[in-house]
Structures are given as C-alpha cells and as structure tokens.
C-alpha cells in the first residue's frame, strides 16, 4: 500500500482486496468484544480536516480511529483560522506540528488532498475532494456488495444520476473496474462529465433498459448545492426519468440490491419505499464504512505501529 490514499485508481487489485479482507478481520475482531476497541493505534493521532460539510464520513472516520484507540482531532474550517484567511498549507503544517500521523481531508477543491500530500510527512486520506474522488466511499461500497452478494467480480453495477458532480461515482468506477465488476453509468446527458467516454464503464441514458440486467443499482444524490444553472427541466421530470421508485425497482432481478451513499433526497432520486425496502443497503453502507476506514487507517499507519498492536488485530 502507498502511504496515502488519494484516489481509488491508485489501488491495485491486491491493495483493494487487502483493504476489504482487513475490514472483514476488523469486523470479526470486534464482534467478540464487549468493549468495541482495539489497542492497535494507541498513541497515534488522526486529524479530521473538514473544509466541507459532512455527517457520515467525518463521524465514520472518527469512530474508526477511536475504535483503534487513536487520538482524534476534529478540525472544521468554520470557527478556525481558515475563516481569517489561513491557507490550506499553513493549516496543515500547524496540525502536523502538533504531531498528527494521518490527516483525513475533505475539501471543495478537486486535488486539495494531493497538494497536502506534498507538504506533510504523515499519511493523507482523501475523504472527498470537490467533484473528483472519494476512495473510502468506493471501498465501503465494494465491501457492502461483497457482503451482500458474495462477490464483486462479474457483478453488473448501474450507477445512476448526478455523475457530473459526484466524486462517489468516479471512485466507484475506478475501483469496480479494478475488482472486475462491469459498470454502467446512467444519467441525462447534462449530468455526465466531459470525457466520461474514457472512463472504464458503459454509458446509458435509459434507466429502464439497464435495471433488468443489474445486480446492483447505486443511486446518486442530485447535488443542488453544486448546480449553477438548469441541468434538467424540473425535479419532477428528473424523478420521472431517473428516479428509482417501487415500480421501477420491481424490474430488477430478484436478488439485486439498491445502494445510496447518502445523504438522500427522498422523493427525488430515490423513493422512500425503495430506501426503506429489504433490497436497500443504505444503513449497512454506513456501518461498513467504519470497518473499512478502520482497515485503511490500520494499513496506512501500519508501518508505524508496534507488533504487539498488530497482533491484537490478527488474533
Ligand atoms: C457523498 C459525498 O459527500 O461525496 N456523501 C458521502 O460521503 N457519504 C455524496 C453526496 O454528497 O451526495
């Protein structure tokens, strides 16, 4: 494994499988314990450096680090010297001077984690950069697919909706390709990024044609906050063409699953009865996110930890 996790595309097949297997080990190691904590990263410090809003990802990294006994510093741009104009570099160097071993960063600028990785000595984990990438989301999605269906290789995966603004879509396409799944992106032409034809996936504008042959359907949030202009006529029209409701869900194969990274716009890209159905993995994705992020922290900081800590996890 690299020292940093910046892009899902940087992971080899072996790296990705190692993360998924380690996440399963983390689950197993914690399952038998009344106190959900391993001593593995005791004495290490993980900084959550969040310049954009987040519910799931920030708390998930925090829980993951704490379950490995690391100290966690939660830094949000609001209320910090960033609002006084302090740069990303100075902020990061300040946090590093306080002894951080890993920085988990979310930023509205695509590429910010890559810059950070050149400035600091510790590991950098990309927790979402602009519309670019969100590699731990892709890893937890692959982990969820594997747990639910027993495999990732050979799965037919449809990723549906606002691909243009989605870092989740890009990271998933890259990782799923590495793991041997076949991905079809489904979106209106206005919500596809320039250059999507070079991505290792198929592209369709027709959701109804794709659903009957999909093992996994991943619905994406319509990211209103990143939209400056009209990408579709009305929300109602969008839902009619690209939303997943119960009637559409019924056209899926029997054991197909429905995913969503959250936060959801219920009634827009996904109907409430679909989100709450037995096919939905949305709550599992959140739980699996903790295990996968534990695995990532463990593997990235693993070179630094003492063997007694590592043994605890292997045991
Ligand atoms: C996603 C994100 O922030 O990229 N959410 C997440 O991390 N679970 C997707 C989104 O915001 O729609």
């Amino acid at each position: 494994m690299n020292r940093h996790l910046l892009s899902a595309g940087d992971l080899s097949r072996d790296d990705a499988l190692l993360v998924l297997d380690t996440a399963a080990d983390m689950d197993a190691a914690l399952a038998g314990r009344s106190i959900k904590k391993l001593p593995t990263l005791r004495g290490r410090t993980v900084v959550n450096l969040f310049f954009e809003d987040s519910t799931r990802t920030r708390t998930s990294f925090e829980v993951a680090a704490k379950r490995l006994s690391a100290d966690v510093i939660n830094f949000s741009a609001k209320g910090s010297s960033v609002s006084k104009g302090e740069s990303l570099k100075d902020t990061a160097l300040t946090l590093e001077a306080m002894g951080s071993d890993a920085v988990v960063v979310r930023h509205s600028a695509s590429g910010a984690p890559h810059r950070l990785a050149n400035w600091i000595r510790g590991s950098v984990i990309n927790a979402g950069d602009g519309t670019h990438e969100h590699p731990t989301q892709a890893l937890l999605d692959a982990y969820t697919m594997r747990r639910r269906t027993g495999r990732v290789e050979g799965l037919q995966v449809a990723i549906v909706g606002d691909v243009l603004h989605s870092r989740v879509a890009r990271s998933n396409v890259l990782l799923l390709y590495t793991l041997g799944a076949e991905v079809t992106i489904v979106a209106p032409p206005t919500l596809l990024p320039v250059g999507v034809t070079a991505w290792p996936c198929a592209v369709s504008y027709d959701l109804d044609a794709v659903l009957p042959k999909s093992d996994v359907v991943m619905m994406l949030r319509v990211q209103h906050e990143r939209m400056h202009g009209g990408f579709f006529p009305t929300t109602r029209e969008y839902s009619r063409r690209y939303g997943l409701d119960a009637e559409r869900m019924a056209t899926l194969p029997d054991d197909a699953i429905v995913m969503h990274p959250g936060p959801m716009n219920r009634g827009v890209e996904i109907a409430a009865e679909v989100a709450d159905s037995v096919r939905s993995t949305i709550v599992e994705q959140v739980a699996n996110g903790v295990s996968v992020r534990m695995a990532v922290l463990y593997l990235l900081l693993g070179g630094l930890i003492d063997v007694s800590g590592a043994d605890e996890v292997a045991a």
Side-chain angles (χ1 to χ4, degrees), residues 52-54 56-57 106 127-128 130 133-134 137 140 165-168 220-223 225-226 260-263 293:
E52 259 194 357
D53 296 342
S54 170
R56 270 153 285 268
T57 306
R106 169 168 288 196
E133 280 226 39
H134 193 353
Q137 179 71 42
L140 78 87
H165 300 109
S166 180
R167 48 204 180 199
V168 174
L220 301 173
R221 183 173 67 91
V222 175
Q223 301 200 20
E225 78 280 13
R226 296 191 208 272
H260 193 303
R293 288 174 178 125

Side-chain angles (χ1 to χ4, degrees), residues 179-259:
L179 291 175
E182 284 179 38
V183 179
T184 304
I185 292 276
V186 186
T190 50
L191 289 178
L192 285 171
V194 174
V196 74
T197 46
W199 292 19
C201 62
V203 178
S204 168
Y205 308 133
D206 186 352
L207 181 56
D208 290 316
V210 173
L211 289 179
K213 44 185 192 204
S214 300
D215 303 305
V216 177
V217 189
M218 185 182 296
M219 303 306 296
L220 301 173
R221 183 173 67 91
V222 175
Q223 301 200 20
H224 293 290
E225 78 280 13
R226 296 191 208 272
M227 291 186 183
H228 310 286
F231 287 89
F232 43 80
T234 62
T235 303
R236 190 149 167 246
E237 168 69 11
Y238 178 85
S239 303
R240 209 176 57 75
R241 294 279 311 271
Y242 293 100
L244 190 62
D245 58 10
E247 204 181 317
R248 276 214 168 100
M249 186 171 71
T251 67
L252 285 167
D254 281 347
D255 41 13
I257 58 172
V258 176
M259 308 181 75

Side-chain angles (χ1 to χ4, degrees), residues 6-9 126-135 167-168 170-171 174:
L6 303 175
S7 161
N126 181 0
D129 62 329
T131 58
H132 183 227
E133 280 226 39
H134 193 353
R167 48 204 180 199
V168 174
R170 188 190 306 266
S171 288
L174 294 173

Side-chain angles (χ1 to χ4, degrees), residues 84-292:
K84 297 180 187 168
E86 187 160 29
S87 69
L88 174 64
K89 182 172 183 177
D90 289 330
T91 306
L93 291 177
T94 302
L95 293 166
E96 184 174 55
M98 291 178 196
S100 66
D101 298 292
V103 176
V104 177
V105 60
R106 169 168 288 196
H107 201 285
S108 58
S110 300
H114 294 73
R115 296 303 304 269
L116 206 60
N118 291 326
W119 294 326
I120 64 174
R121 283 189 302 274
S123 293
V124 175
I125 301 173
N126 181 0
D129 62 329
T131 58
H132 183 227
E133 280 226 39
H134 193 353
T136 58
Q137 179 71 42
L139 285 162
L140 78 87
D141 290 337
Y143 185 68
T144 303
M145 290 176 209
R146 199 170 77 165
R147 282 194 74 163
R148 265 286 188 121
T149 71
R151 67 194 170 121
V152 178
E153 191 163 3
L155 283 179
Q156 298 286 333
V157 181
I159 300 181
V160 185
D162 186 358
V163 180
L164 178 64
H165 300 109
S166 180
R167 48 204 180 199
V168 174
R170 188 190 306 266
S171 288
N172 260 292
V173 167
L174 294 173
L175 184 70
L176 289 169
Y177 174 72
T178 301
L179 291 175
E182 284 179 38
V183 179
T184 304
I185 292 276
V186 186
T190 50
L191 289 178
L192 285 171
V194 174
V196 74
T197 46
W199 292 19
C201 62
V203 178
S204 168
Y205 308 133
D206 186 352
L207 181 56
D208 290 316
V210 173
L211 289 179
K213 44 185 192 204
S214 300
D215 303 305
V216 177
V217 189
M218 185 182 296
M219 303 306 296
L220 301 173
R221 183 173 67 91
V222 175
Q223 301 200 20
H224 293 290
E225 78 280 13
R226 296 191 208 272
M227 291 186 183
H228 310 286
F231 287 89
F232 43 80
T234 62
T235 303
R236 190 149 167 246
E237 168 69 11
Y238 178 85
S239 303
R240 209 176 57 75
R241 294 279 311 271
Y242 293 100
L244 190 62
D245 58 10
E247 204 181 317
R248 276 214 168 100
M249 186 171 71
T251 67
L252 285 167
D254 281 347
D255 41 13
I257 58 172
V258 176
M259 308 181 75
H260 193 303
M264 286 182 273
N265 294 308
R266 284 178 183 248
V268 180
E269 70 270 0
I270 188 164
E273 70 257 37
V274 174
D276 300 330
S277 75
V278 289
R279 288 179 188 271
S280 163
T281 62
I282 296 166
V283 177
E284 284 159 59
Q285 284 170 264
V286 176
N288 291 339
V290 175
S291 314
V292 164

Side-chain angles (χ1 to χ4, degrees), residues 21-30 33 38-40 68 294 298-299 305-315:
D21 291 343
T22 306
D25 290 347
M26 293 292 174
D27 273 343
L30 285 178
R33 294 188 175 225
L38 302 171
T40 320
L68 292 172
M294 285 174 75
Y298 169 69
L299 292 168
I305 62 179
D306 62 33
V307 181
S308 59
D311 282 343
E312 283 289 336
V313 172

